[in-house]
Amino acid sequence: MRFLFALILAAAVAGCGFQLRGAASAQLPYKTMFIALPETADVNVWLQRHIKATGSTEIVDEPKAAEAVFQQLGDQRQKSILSINSLGRVREYRLTLTYTFRVITPEGKVLVPPNEITLVRDVTHDDSKVLAKDIEENLLWRDMHTDLVGQIMRRLSVVKPLDPNREDAN
């Protein structure tokens, strides 16, 4: 009886179009893509990993060989004081990452207009645990990068590219 119930439940979930969010769901509408970032940039490394995991888009080494070119328009990181204690010492910081990108053809026509992603994390600060808090802050920046690449992949897979042959697609 349990087996039959599990089989019916699996068929119902599969039949409704349910799909886990992840690499398999982020199919890009491009056959080839060039990422116009330095090879060692964190965003480039993680984007390439995610795109290769989907298997639907090939990363090429030359922009002229690509159907689409990913361009970073802005990458701003900011650490600001969020709160202070009664002695005037910092109690919390706010980490803000603002990233802007677009996708164009090798000829410069816009496929995906500029998109901005802003991520915010708050981190507590303690003068007696400076090393631990520094490590925690670095882990938060890394988590923000992971989240950023996930959001980029979801946006690229959902956004319908503009027709590069249109007159106003510039």
Side-chain angles (χ1 to χ4, degrees):
M1 192 65 167
R2 288 182 185 167
F3 176 74
L4 182 61
F5 177 72
L7 186 63
I8 291 171
L9 182 63
V13 168
C16 73
F18 174 78
Q19 186 176 14
L20 290 174
R21 184 174 73 179
S25 64
Q27 299 291 322
L28 300 182
Y30 315 108
K31 292 182 181 121
T32 57
M33 180 178 266
F34 176 75
I35 301 173
L37 290 169
E39 279 189 39
T40 56
D42 287 340
V43 174
N44 186 6
V45 171
W46 285 101
L47 261 179
Q48 285 197 30
R49 285 182 187 166
H50 280 265
I51 291 171
K52 287 177 183 176
T54 66
S56 65
T57 303
E58 179 186 351
I59 303 293
V60 294
D61 295 331
E62 292 292 324
K64 292 185 182 195
E67 184 180 328
V69 177
F70 177 89
Q71 289 184 328
Q72 171 183 302
L73 300 177
D75 184 0
Q76 182 181 18
R77 296 144 205 254
Q78 183 178 9
K79 179 179 176 180
S80 56
I81 296 173
L82 185 61
S83 66
I84 55 174
N85 63 18
S86 59
L87 299 173
R89 293 192 176 135
V90 176
R91 186 179 356 177
E92 290 179 299
Y93 284 106
R94 173 160 285 166
L95 308 176
T96 307
L97 172 63
T98 304
Y99 192 86
T100 310
F101 70 92
R102 71 178 181 169
V103 178
I104 62 171
T105 65
E107 295 79 33
K109 297 209 178 193
V110 176
L111 294 173
V112 177
N115 274 258
E116 182 176 281
I117 298 172
T118 301
L119 302 168
V120 178
R121 302 284 191 277
D122 296 337
V123 60
T124 59
H125 181 74
D126 187 349
D127 289 336
S128 64
K129 301 174 186 171
V130 175
L131 184 59
K133 290 299 177 178
D134 189 45
I135 292 170
E136 181 182 1
E137 182 181 325
N138 288 333
L139 287 172
L140 283 172
W141 282 117
R142 183 179 214 181
D143 175 57
M144 290 168 78
H145 271 102
T146 304
D147 191 16
L148 172 70
V149 172
Q151 286 193 37
I152 290 171
M153 288 298 294
R154 284 190 295 279
R155 288 186 186 195
L156 290 179
S157 66
V158 172
V159 169
K160 293 183 181 178
L162 296 175
D163 183 2
N165 298 321
R166 277 190 6 204
E167 289 295 319
D168 61 341
N170 199 5

